[in-house]
Amino acid sequence: DIQMTQSPASLSASLGETISIECRASEDIYSNLAWYQQKSGKSPQLLIYAANRLQDGVPSRFSGSGSGTQYSLKISGMQPEDEGDYFCLQGSKFPYTFGAGTKLELK
Amino acid sequence: EVQLQQSGPELQRPGASVKLSCKASGYTFTEYYMYWVKQRPKQGLELIGRIDPEDGSTDYVEKFKNKATLTADTSSNTAYMQLSSLTSEDTATYFCARGTHWFAYWGQGTLVTVSS
């Protein structure tokens, strides 16, 4: 199975700060990478798919980049509503696998 | 509007089985795989497996092969997951999700609590 290594495990950001979260795959996943936000008690919400495509309705301060085995999610200007857990998902090869998650808090 | 409506919370005894449901609406049920995902309290997400509602074929993650059974009823546009021989390790929220290479639509989740 493809292993997804996500970092950091937790992050504290100030209002307006730009932050990045990384996911590294154990093999090439050909940009079949999605990013999710999950708030407590809720279902994950798709933010980015195909590594860099913004899901409809997601604020443009979210962006994704990467290729091959290295991918990142950037939030350009932290907002209070961005607090939550963030996960990556590789959809290249079954079984699809998730990163362990990043807990993002407002400082 | 695509919606996945999951069944309500379950409290089960160790050793019991439980069957969860996920009713799909707003799209053609047979055109997309349905995936099931496990999330233990305060932990990450694990894929359990998927079913193709068109022909009922299934793929399971190895660790869930003797735990979960996926089925689908095309007459009611509902996917099901049965979990057997429940233990405390099965206490979790279970999500269904419509997918291709990623999941744009998720159910609201079903909390299964295993306790004596």
Side-chain angles (χ1 to χ4, degrees):
Chain A
D1 299 357
I2 296 176
Q3 306 304 312
M4 300 301 295
T5 303
Q6 184 171 342
S7 62
S10 63
L11 192 51
S12 183
S14 302
L15 195 65
E17 184 178 347
T18 294
I19 67 98
S20 287
I21 299 169
E22 311 287 325
C23 267
R24 185 181 77 248
S26 59
E27 62 184 80
D28 195 326
I29 57 172
Y30 306 101
S31 297
N32 289 301
L33 190 285
W35 290 98
Y36 292 87
Q37 178 194 67
Q38 186 179 30
K39 303 206 172 180
S40 183
K42 300 294 187 182
S43 310
Q45 297 297 306
L46 180 64
L47 301 172
I48 300 288
Y49 63 96
N52 59 17
R53 298 192 177 190
L54 191 68
Q55 174 70 355
D56 289 346
V58 175
S60 59
R61 64 180 178 273
F62 291 91
S63 63
S65 64
S67 63
T69 62
Q70 300 272 12
Y71 299 86
S72 63
L73 172 72
K74 184 165 75 172
I75 306 175
S76 300
M78 174 76 179
Q79 299 299 307
E81 60 266 32
D82 297 337
E83 282 194 313
D85 296 321
Y86 290 80
F87 298 92
C88 62
L89 166 70
Q90 71 81 14
S92 178
K93 186 185 294 184
F94 190 88
Y96 301 163
T97 44
F98 294 90
T102 296
K103 187 174 187 64
L104 176 61
E105 295 179 328
L106 184 64
K107 197 180 293 182
Chain B
E1 179 192 5
V2 174
Q3 290 190 336
L4 302 175
Q5 183 65 38
Q6 296 189 237
S7 48
E10 297 272 0
L11 173 61
Q12 296 289 338
R13 303 291 189 207
S17 296
V18 67
K19 192 170 186 177
L20 312 183
S21 66
C22 171
K23 183 171 177 59
S25 61
Y27 71 98
T28 302
F29 184 58
T30 53
E31 288 187 352
Y32 294 86
Y33 281 96
M34 190 69 77
Y35 291 76
W36 290 86
V37 176
K38 177 181 181 180
Q39 185 170 37
R40 297 189 67 190
K42 305 293 187 186
Q43 294 195 23
L45 300 158
E46 286 185 278
L47 184 69
I48 296 169
R50 67 184 178 187
I51 184 165
D52 182 351
E54 184 166 42
D55 63 6
S57 61
T58 54
D59 298 294
Y60 295 94
V61 175
E62 187 66 35
K63 68 178 287 189
F64 292 106
K65 279 186 176 176
N66 295 319
K67 173 61 63 178
T69 302
L70 305 183
T71 56
D73 178 356
T74 56
S75 68
S76 63
N77 292 343
T78 303
Y80 298 93
M81 178 173 68
Q82 179 161 323
L83 300 170
S84 61
S85 302
L86 293 169
T87 73
S88 60
E89 298 291 299
D90 299 314
T91 293
T93 296
Y94 294 87
F95 296 98
C96 59
R98 192 192 88 167
T100 53
H101 296 285
W102 35 76
F103 313 138
Y105 299 98
W106 296 65
Q108 81 276 22
T110 295
L111 175 62
V112 175
T113 303
V114 182
S115 175
S116 55

